[in-house]
Amino acid sequence: DRWSNKMNTEAAATSLPTADKGVDAEHNGFVDESEEESNALADVMAAFLYYKKYSLNSSIYRRLHSIDELSERHRRIVASLGTIDKIKRAENLIRENHRFLLDLVHSSAVGAMPSPTESPGEFRAWFKQFFDTRESAGKPPVADHHMEKMYSTLKQFVRDWSAEGQAERDLTYGPLLDALESEFSSVSPDRRGNIHVLVPGAGLGRLAFEICCRGFSTQGNEFSYFMLLASNFILNKSESADQYTIYPFAHQFSNVISAQDQLRPISVPDVLPSSMPYSGTAAFSMTAGDFIEAYGSSSEREQWDAVVTCFFMDTAKNVLDYLDTMWHAMKPGAVWINLGPLLWHFDSVDGEQSIELSRDEFLELVAKVGFELDRGQFKEKIPVTYTANARSMLQYTYNTFMCVARKPHNDNQTE
């Protein structure tokens, strides 16, 4: 198991509420035992578990009802296009996704949730108890914004662990990997195991995996429970390449060229995560927890030879906290390689602190903190997508930038 725990500090498998104690049982494992953490995990679990009912209501039944409301003539014309058949096929694929997601949650629920396939009766009772408990606490079955994250998680599987996602990975991860290998080009891959690389905001872990495949001992860090459950599943439970089939675009009915595009299957993972070529010399691990809390601790001081960030820096409420944490964790002379946009995640979020900087202000801030920017490796206007549906009529492209900076050997912050 490649998971260790920055919340509780000791290595542990994921643990969710136990079946015999019910959904109010304490959460051990990578989850902090506080009520806040337990509630946060339960909310995310609810999104995975409620996926089928929510999706069928919002994506399928509503559309079938709209067609039923048409005049008989219009309904007959629409039916002749195959549209009703397409919607019903999408319904079946949502059910397939649901089975995949149940396996995902069950794989992380050590001794917790009964197996949906091996003990369906016990699972149904557990499922009912789970949502009854939420209802008695005055909570809805699931929050709409959590379902949006649920759909995004399915697309993250495409980005990180499918053959179709390779093009997007080449654009985003490729420059980072090239810069990291260039930094340590004098060290052969079989001798890079003593070079320790940290990947904050690791998502489903593919970038960290690719770094480890190049011989570096690598640790990914992630805070989102959506990403934590999904990455634990794909990294630790996969037994073969293309083991699972998902349909991440079955819910997308706009900007679709053909039904085949919308309903196409995606196989994951495209490579077996356990098949790392330098596993004998390079360590690979993932940690759960807040980046600032986890790597700002005294035990993490000057432990890392490199930090690689991808679409991460703009997730900060105050990016200075990120920079100070990286400075603390990096060894003198260590390198930081970054690529991404500046879509500040807490911009305009009520009640949240948020410091939004332009790219030029960001780079000036990096220098003021004490990092030495490598102007020769700076790149701008790198066009990349993020969890894009490559066959959609609508594409969002970020003009990202890439910067490389080093912590000076004298370890003196300028301000």
Side-chain angles (χ1 to χ4, degrees):
D1 198 316
R2 298 180 181 84
W3 277 97
S4 60
N5 181 9
K6 289 293 180 182
M7 290 182 175
N8 288 337
T9 70
E10 52 185 64
T14 310
S15 181
L16 303 179
T18 59
D20 55 338
K21 293 183 179 179
V23 296
D24 289 327
E26 289 186 343
H27 300 324
N28 301 313
F30 74 57
V31 182
D32 188 281
E33 294 183 3
S34 70
E35 182 178 357
E36 181 180 358
E37 293 294 341
S38 298
N39 290 336
L41 177 57
D43 287 343
V44 173
M45 283 180 62
F48 281 98
L49 295 170
Y50 206 71
Y51 162 84
K52 181 179 72 173
K53 186 168 185 178
Y54 185 96
S55 299
L56 292 180
N57 286 333
S58 62
S59 296
I60 303 301
Y61 301 149
R62 179 178 65 83
R63 288 183 167 85
L64 291 175
H65 177 72
S66 294
I67 293 174
D68 284 342
E69 293 293 304
L70 296 174
S71 67
E72 183 178 350
R73 173 175 169 267
H74 286 181
R75 189 165 59 249
R76 187 169 59 251
I77 292 173
V78 170
S80 72
L81 302 175
T83 303
I84 296 175
D85 290 340
K86 176 191 69 177
I87 296 172
K88 291 183 176 179
R89 288 168 59 199
E91 176 182 0
N92 291 332
L93 300 184
I94 285 171
R95 296 180 188 277
E96 290 294 322
N97 284 344
H98 176 63
R99 282 187 275 271
F100 170 80
L101 295 173
L102 289 184
D103 285 345
L104 186 156
V105 176
H106 180 252
S107 73
S108 296
V110 178
M113 145 184 153
S115 169
T117 54
E118 296 176 8
S119 305
E122 293 180 22
F123 169 73
R124 285 192 294 271
W126 182 92
F127 184 95
K128 182 179 184 301
Q129 182 190 10
F130 181 93
F131 285 102
D132 284 349
T133 302
R134 292 181 65 79
E135 183 179 7
S136 65
K139 290 186 175 183
V142 67
D144 288 340
H145 71 277
H146 280 149
M147 289 312 305
E148 290 301 317
K149 292 181 179 179
M150 176 70 264
Y151 295 143
S152 177
T153 300
L154 286 172
K155 295 176 182 178
Q156 287 280 355
F157 277 109
V158 182
R159 171 181 168 86
D160 262 16
W161 293 102
S162 79
E164 183 169 311
Q166 184 66 55
E168 189 169 283
R169 293 196 299 273
D170 288 344
L171 290 172
T172 51
Y173 301 163
L176 296 168
L177 294 168
D178 290 345
L180 182 65
E181 290 211 274
S182 176
E183 187 75 16
F184 297 98
S185 59
S186 62
V187 185
S188 62
D190 61 330
R191 300 178 65 86
R192 290 173 179 166
N194 290 326
I195 301 172
H196 295 88
V197 181
L198 175 62
V199 184
L204 297 195
R206 184 59 179 261
L207 177 57
F209 169 83
E210 292 292 346
I211 291 172
C212 194
C213 284
R214 286 154 177 79
F216 301 96
S217 287
T218 311
Q219 185 168 97
N221 167 249
E222 181 55 55
F223 182 73
S224 163
Y225 283 131
F226 284 96
M227 299 294 101
L228 293 173
L229 293 180
S231 60
N232 175 62
F233 180 68
I234 205 72
L235 291 171
N236 291 317
K237 307 303 178 181
S238 298
E239 297 178 351
S240 62
D242 299 328
Q243 182 176 351
Y244 307 103
T245 301
I246 58 175
Y247 303 88
F249 310 111
H251 336 81
Q252 181 177 326
F253 285 83
S254 294
N255 291 304
V256 177
I257 293 176
S258 71
Q260 288 73 23
D261 289 347
Q262 177 184 352
L263 306 178
R264 70 188 185 276
I266 300 292
S267 298
V268 295
D270 61 317
V271 296
L272 188 60
S274 60
S275 62
M276 286 177 284
Y278 300 102
S279 58
T281 56
F284 178 60
S285 62
M286 293 281 286
T287 64
D290 176 77
F291 170 66
I292 296 168
E293 294 179 6
Y295 295 92
S297 64
S298 58
S299 63
E300 293 293 334
R301 179 175 175 81
E302 297 184 354
Q303 295 297 304
W304 300 94
D305 300 286
V307 176
V308 178
T309 52
C310 183
F311 277 71
F312 173 71
M313 299 305 294
D314 55 4
T315 66
K317 297 179 181 180
N318 174 7
V319 75
L320 269 165
D321 288 335
Y322 277 11
L323 293 171
D324 285 345
T325 301
M326 289 193 303
W327 182 280
H328 170 85
M330 292 167 65
K331 297 176 182 178
V335 65
W336 165 42
I337 306 169
N338 172 71
L339 185 147
L342 292 176
L343 179 64
W344 299 105
H345 286 209
F346 292 92
D347 184 7
S348 302
V349 176
D350 291 340
E352 293 286 0
Q353 176 196 45
S354 182
I355 309 299
E356 299 91 20
L357 304 176
S358 68
R359 187 205 66 187
D360 290 349
E361 290 170 334
F362 174 82
L363 293 173
E364 184 176 353
L365 177 65
V366 169
K368 285 184 177 293
V369 167
F371 288 100
E372 296 177 345
L373 283 162
D374 187 332
R375 301 291 178 179
Q377 294 198 65
F378 175 75
K379 298 177 182 178
E380 61 180 338
K381 296 182 179 179
I382 305 171
V384 301
T385 58
Y386 189 87
T387 64
N389 178 356
R391 300 187 190 179
S392 172
M393 297 167 68
L394 176 64
Q395 301 289 337
Y396 289 105
T397 302
Y398 293 94
N399 282 320
T400 62
F401 70 98
M402 176 176 160
C403 60
V404 176
R406 296 174 184 84
K407 180 178 176 178
H409 286 280
N410 60 20
D411 190 14
N412 291 321
Q413 287 186 289
T414 57
E415 295 192 14

